[in-house]
Amino acid sequence: SAVISQKPSRDICQRGTSLTIQCQVDSQVTMMFWYRQQPGQSLTLIATANQGSEATYESGFVIDKFPISRPNLTFSTLTVSNMSPEDSSIYLCSVEDRTGEETQYFGPGTRLLVL
Amino acid sequence: GQNIDQPTEMTATEGAIVQINCTYQTSGFNGLFWYQQHAGEAPTFLSYNVLDGLEEKGRFSSFLSRSKGYSYLLLKELQMKDSASYLCAVRDTTGGFKTIFGAGTRLFVKA
């Protein structure tokens, strides 16, 4: 299994500012994923972060708005840039485990409120 | 593209059995997951199916039919703590491995 921690756990930010969310995993993983979950809705994949290469973004998400870093196999960051109230959401980091039973583990999430 | 459908809400009685259905359309199917998510918490893994058939794990079972693009999650001996959202998710290899989530089914268990 993988244990994932995220910082910060929650934040309240002003419109136009940026926030960087950190994700730390207790084991080396090839692929890390960033999801967004807006209130009452399911998870939407933002991008896949691979170590040593550019992140792959899903439709509707762009690097200028959500830059991602993946400096090593246990860590990633997601930045929410030039925030607006529409960015208020829970942001979740996730990793896959294919060593045993196929599964995907999620971090506790970062609750972001933009005023 | 991908499309995952599941009912928005279901209600069941404590001690009963409930089946949550999920249909999906994807061009690069590589497995189907079910997750449980309590309000305010991250999703937790319940099951994974990649071959047709039934996978049983305690009170929870999951079924997959790849030819029909269909899965269900079966919850037996329902308990109040089973009240949660249940997310159907499909791994798709189109454009790289990624897991796409359905909108989730909110299950209410009543006494």
Side-chain angles (χ1 to χ4, degrees):
Chain A
S1 65
V3 178
I4 305 172
S5 59
Q6 286 185 231
K7 289 183 185 179
S9 59
R10 60 179 67 237
D11 207 342
I12 300 174
C13 300
Q14 295 297 319
R15 181 194 301 260
T17 63
S18 297
L19 175 72
T20 295
I21 302 168
Q22 299 180 8
C23 175
Q24 180 75 53
V25 188
D26 68 343
S27 58
Q28 294 186 336
V29 293
T30 303
M31 297 169 75
M32 296 176 76
F33 305 90
W34 286 98
Y35 286 86
R36 180 171 75 182
Q37 187 172 31
Q38 296 183 308
Q41 299 188 23
S42 190
L43 287 78
T44 301
L45 181 63
I46 298 172
T48 302
N50 301 309
Q51 195 267 337
S53 63
E54 291 251 333
T56 304
Y57 289 83
E58 296 301 306
S59 176
F61 298 96
V62 295
I63 188 171
D64 290 346
K65 176 66 175 177
F66 297 100
I68 287 172
S69 79
R70 183 78 201 275
N72 57 52
L73 292 175
T74 63
F75 186 78
S76 178
T77 67
L78 170 75
T79 299
V80 187
S81 303
N82 188 25
M83 287 184 285
S84 67
E86 291 72 35
D87 294 321
S88 297
S89 186
I90 299 173
Y91 292 84
L92 296 126
C93 172
S94 177
V95 303
E96 282 191 344
D97 180 2
R98 299 184 183 180
T99 57
E101 184 176 43
E102 293 271 1
T103 188
Q104 190 165 343
Y105 297 98
F106 288 86
T110 295
R111 287 158 178 74
L112 172 62
L113 176 63
V114 183
L115 303 177
Chain B
Q2 306 102 359
N3 192 45
I4 301 173
D5 289 312
Q6 52 182 130
T8 304
E9 287 185 359
M10 298 182 72
T11 301
T13 305
E14 192 175 19
I17 299 173
V18 71
Q19 177 174 313
I20 303 174
N21 296 323
C22 172
T23 58
Y24 64 89
Q25 293 176 313
T26 183
S27 50
F29 178 82
N30 192 253
L32 186 142
F33 298 86
W34 283 96
Y35 286 86
Q36 180 189 62
Q37 186 176 28
H38 285 98
E41 299 181 13
T44 55
F45 170 80
L46 291 178
S47 68
Y48 171 73
N49 295 69
V50 67
L51 300 176
D52 290 351
L54 187 69
E55 295 280 343
E56 298 186 76
K57 193 181 293 185
R59 294 190 299 116
F60 292 58
S61 303
S62 57
F63 172 83
L64 175 67
S65 169
R66 290 172 295 170
S67 61
K68 295 181 180 178
Y70 168 69
S71 173
Y72 67 73
L73 179 70
L74 194 71
L75 292 77
K76 303 176 186 176
E77 301 169 14
L78 280 174
Q79 302 174 11
M80 300 297 287
K81 67 178 182 179
D82 295 329
S83 294
S85 287
Y86 290 86
L87 309 177
C88 175
V90 173
R91 177 182 285 151
D92 192 330
T93 59
T94 307
F97 277 84
K98 57 190 175 186
T99 302
I100 307 300
F101 284 77
T105 299
R106 293 183 66 188
L107 175 66
F108 299 94
V109 180
K110 59 183 182 180

